[in-house]
Amino acid sequence: MAESVRADEVSAWYGKKLAIRDISVTMEPNKVTALIGPSGCGKSTFLRSINRLHEVVPGAKVAGDIWVGDRNVYGKDMDAVKVRANIGMVFQRPNPFPTMSIYDNIAAGPRLSGRAGKRKQMDELVEHSLRQAALWDEVKDRLKEPATGLSGGQQQRVCIARALAMKPGVLLLDEPSSALDPIASFKIEELLLQLKNDYTMVIVTHNMQQAARIADFTGFMLAGTDYVGELVEYGETTKMFSNPSDSRTEAYITGRFG
């Protein structure tokens, strides 16, 4: 079930270096939200703060609150490992587990988290996840083969299916198609548009055309002279791209900087 994501004055550090400052935003369920902005403005840092992956970096920390549905993921009673298990994450480069088959890649998360069930249930979950990732018909006869034997675009859809197997309410994607060719990238975009019927998705992208094509809402981030990222503007993608409220947003979208 898709869940809203609400950040309340979120700041993040790498050691003593402040990376993002006081970000407050609400991302709606069953929508695609794109985060855009120049390199180094904190987009990925903010994305990784949502599922507490940021704090895996030695010395990194987060201040503020992030609510997923009715749960504060930074609440004192929240287990960071369980948070990461329940909020899907897809990275820039496809990273299927290299020693595992396609089947085992999808089954890995449920097995490790104790959600595996019986073999028949796992078979059904693997098939369902691969169907959701629009990959089943391409790999149904190759499930025992290494996932690394697939094309780059197929590997990325394996990674998406692997995340979906955990039945998350939110799916985070950090430039998921930037390492792919245009045809594979288009397939990922088509997939995300289908998946928003069941999930809340937040995607970091440097591709303005991609944001315009698939995002319902867009957040523009920018780092000032102190190199600290902030959220400059957030709103409906159509409005932001046609009539942005901030002159800095307009300058970035039109290519005058960044």
Side-chain angles (χ1 to χ4, degrees):
M1 180 178 176
E3 298 179 291
S4 62
V5 178
R6 177 168 61 87
D8 186 11
E9 296 187 350
V10 172
S11 299
W13 290 259
Y14 291 94
K16 294 181 179 180
K17 172 66 174 68
L18 182 62
I20 56 174
R21 176 191 293 119
D22 296 337
I23 294 179
S24 295
V25 64
T26 297
M27 292 168 275
E28 302 294 335
N30 298 111
K31 302 293 182 184
V32 178
T33 295
L35 299 176
I36 63 172
S39 297
C41 68
K43 303 182 298 298
S44 294
T45 297
F46 176 58
L47 190 76
R48 293 166 187 244
S49 297
I50 295 173
N51 69 343
R52 297 189 62 169
L53 196 59
H54 173 70
E55 63 196 71
V56 172
V57 178
K61 63 178 181 178
V62 175
D65 297 308
I66 295 179
W67 297 81
V68 174
D70 59 359
R71 305 180 307 282
N72 182 356
V73 301
Y74 286 95
K76 293 181 179 179
D77 59 338
M78 294 298 289
D79 182 333
V81 175
K82 290 183 178 179
V83 168
R84 294 175 199 128
N86 291 318
I87 301 177
M89 185 86 185
V90 178
F91 298 93
Q92 180 175 3
R93 293 192 174 277
N95 63 341
F97 300 132
T99 61
M100 292 187 184
S101 67
I102 296 168
Y103 183 103
D104 289 338
N105 260 273
I106 312 304
R111 285 170 174 164
L112 289 170
S113 61
R115 305 179 190 181
K118 296 181 179 179
R119 178 63 189 229
K120 184 175 185 296
Q121 293 173 309
M122 181 58 72
D123 289 347
E124 291 172 350
L125 177 61
V126 168
E127 178 176 345
H128 178 69
S129 302
L130 287 168
R131 285 189 182 279
Q132 281 189 300
L135 191 58
W136 174 252
D137 290 339
E138 298 173 42
V139 303
K140 61 184 179 182
D141 298 322
R142 304 173 59 186
L143 295 179
K144 294 183 180 180
E145 296 179 15
T148 50
L150 300 174
S151 70
Q154 289 173 322
Q155 287 185 37
Q156 192 65 300
R157 281 182 282 153
V158 165
C159 295
I160 292 173
R162 185 174 66 194
L164 298 180
M166 294 297 291
K167 300 181 179 179
V170 178
L171 186 61
L172 310 177
L173 305 107
D174 195 353
E175 298 189 65
S177 61
S178 65
L180 306 178
D181 64 71
I183 294 175
S185 179
F186 179 70
K187 286 186 177 180
I188 296 293
E189 291 183 16
E190 279 191 319
L191 175 59
L192 298 186
L193 289 173
Q194 295 170 16
L195 289 174
K196 76 175 182 179
N197 293 320
D198 299 303
Y199 303 94
T200 302
M201 285 178 288
V202 187
I203 177 172
V204 167
T205 180
H206 282 284
N207 188 324
M208 296 298 100
Q209 291 77 24
Q210 182 176 76
R213 284 192 297 265
I214 69 171
D216 300 286
F217 293 88
T218 296
F220 171 56
M221 293 181 63
L222 188 64
T225 55
D226 58 1
Y227 301 103
V228 177
E230 296 181 331
L231 183 65
V232 172
E233 185 172 350
Y234 179 81
E236 293 186 1
T237 301
T238 51
K239 179 185 181 301
M240 184 176 292
F241 278 75
S242 61
N243 186 28
S245 301
D246 193 290
S247 59
R248 294 170 294 176
T249 309
E250 181 177 12
Y252 181 74
I253 289 173
T254 57
R256 293 203 293 273
F257 78 87

